[in-house]
């Protein structure tokens, strides 16, 4: 039973356009949500996080939106660049689960020049 | 910069062999983790450790064991490798925080193939 789901295994976007990656979760006790980016043959690297008490967090070209009532979060990348092509994982954690991260299955983003 | 180093990037082993995957971090982090990454399944937690000689089972511990004799080193052991353990193995570390996001720093991964 996957508590964190990324329903789109892949996404293709033109350079300069917006990329929107989506993530759904089932556990209402999660209190932090994170996005990681992974290039081939490298480990995942932390991108951005958001607390459950907020609905938006922005860092440069990356913005994460959280809709608690829908148990949904999304990562927006504007403008998308070819170097953003990678696999993106969303993850969630809750104090009631020892702050362990639960990861989604990942979405492969391809940004075409 | 926190560095998490995994000693072997690529390994090929035979069914039944014992496999050691080593991980070292250089930032004095208390927490260390072993995940495996499989297509469509994301990252699944095998074991974690929050202190020397302490270990806790994650979501998929069967067929694995771990060792943490020193704070900076966390080893994953496959006692008798099987073909369904062919995967990418990722080590990570983090420091203990009372509140806030648990940001993990990952190593580059070890791709294990079991024939």
């Amino acid at each position: 039973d996957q508590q964190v789901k990324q329903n789109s295994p892949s996404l293709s976007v033109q350079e300069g356009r917006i990329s929107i990656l989506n993530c759904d979760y089932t556990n209402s006790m999660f209190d932090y949500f994170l996005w990681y980016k992974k290039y081939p043959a490298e480990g995942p690297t932390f991108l951005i996080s958001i607390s459950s008490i907020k609905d938006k967090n922005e860092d440069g070209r990356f913005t994460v939106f959280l809709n608690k009532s829908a148990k949904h979060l999304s990562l927006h990348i504007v403008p998308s660049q070819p170097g953003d092509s990678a696999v993106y994982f969303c993850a969630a954690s809750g104090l009631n689960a020892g702050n362990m991260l639960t990861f989604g299955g990942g979405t492969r983003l391809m940004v075409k020049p | 910069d926190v560095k998490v180093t995994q000693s072997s990037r690529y390994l090929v082993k035979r069914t039944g062999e014992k496999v050691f995957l080593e991980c070292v971090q250089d930032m004095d982090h208390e927490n260390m983790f072993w995940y495996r990454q499989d297509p469509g399944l994301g990252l699944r937690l095998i074991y974690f450790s929050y202190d020397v000689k302490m270990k806790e089972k994650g979501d998929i511990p069967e067929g694995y064991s771990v060792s943490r004799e020193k704070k900076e080193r966390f080893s994953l052991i496959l006692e008798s490798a099987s073909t369904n353990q062919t995967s990418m193995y990722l080590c990570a570390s983090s420091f203990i925080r009372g509140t806030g996001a648990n940001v993990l720093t990952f190593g580059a991964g070890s791709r294990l193939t079991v024939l």
Side-chain angles (χ1 to χ4, degrees):
Chain A
D1 179 29
Q2 279 192 291
Q3 295 189 68
V4 178
K5 275 188 179 176
Q6 294 174 256
N7 291 316
S8 299
S10 65
L11 174 68
S12 183
V13 168
Q14 206 65 36
E15 181 179 6
R17 298 288 189 105
I18 184 171
S19 295
I20 300 177
L21 296 101
N22 294 304
C23 181
D24 296 297
Y25 63 96
T26 56
N27 187 345
S28 58
M29 300 300 289
F30 286 140
D31 49 21
Y32 278 94
F33 303 89
L34 299 84
W35 285 93
Y36 278 82
K37 177 168 80 172
K38 185 181 185 300
Y39 293 120
E42 293 184 16
T45 54
F46 171 70
L47 202 53
I48 192 169
S49 66
I50 187 168
S51 161
S52 61
I53 63 171
K54 298 195 170 183
D55 54 20
K56 177 182 174 181
N57 188 27
E58 196 171 346
D59 183 2
R61 296 186 298 115
F62 302 91
T63 303
V64 57
F65 295 92
L66 176 62
N67 182 334
K68 281 187 71 175
S69 60
K71 294 192 177 71
H72 177 83
L73 67 153
S74 59
L75 175 68
H76 292 211
I77 306 173
V78 184
S80 302
Q81 299 172 354
D84 296 329
S85 298
V87 177
Y88 290 78
F89 293 99
C90 70
S93 67
L95 278 175
N96 68 325
N99 240 4
M100 291 296 111
L101 288 182
T102 300
F103 285 85
T107 296
R108 181 177 301 279
L109 173 66
M110 291 161 284
V111 180
K112 299 178 188 173
Chain B
D1 264 4
V2 177
K3 262 204 156 167
V4 178
T5 304
Q6 294 183 232
S7 55
S8 304
R9 294 297 305 273
Y10 301 95
L11 302 97
V12 179
K13 298 290 181 181
R14 298 219 171 264
T15 300
E17 279 194 83
K18 192 168 186 175
V19 182
F20 291 88
L21 299 178
E22 302 284 338
C23 175
V24 177
Q25 51 96 2
D26 65 0
M27 282 299 290
D28 205 35
H29 282 178
E30 292 89 355
N31 303 325
M32 295 190 76
F33 308 83
W34 275 106
Y35 287 86
R36 63 178 281 177
Q37 181 202 351
D38 300 290
L41 297 177
L43 279 68
R44 293 180 291 165
L45 182 63
I46 304 170
Y47 267 96
F48 66 98
S49 167
Y50 52 87
D51 201 353
V52 175
K53 296 197 185 295
M54 305 300 289
K55 60 185 179 185
E56 296 284 345
K57 292 180 181 179
D59 299 319
I60 51 164
E62 297 78 18
Y64 303 94
S65 62
V66 289
S67 171
R68 192 157 180 211
E69 296 296 317
K70 293 185 177 181
K71 190 175 185 179
E72 67 272 17
R73 190 178 295 269
F74 193 35
S75 303
L76 180 70
I77 303 148
L78 288 67
E79 292 289 341
S80 177
S82 63
T83 54
N84 63 11
Q85 292 178 309
T86 292
S87 186
M88 169 70 84
Y89 290 89
L90 293 160
C91 176
S93 71
S94 71
F95 57 88
I96 290 176
R97 299 170 62 137
T99 57
N102 185 12
V103 177
L104 271 58
T105 300
F106 283 89
S110 299
R111 180 160 297 282
L112 171 67
T113 302
V114 183
L115 301 175

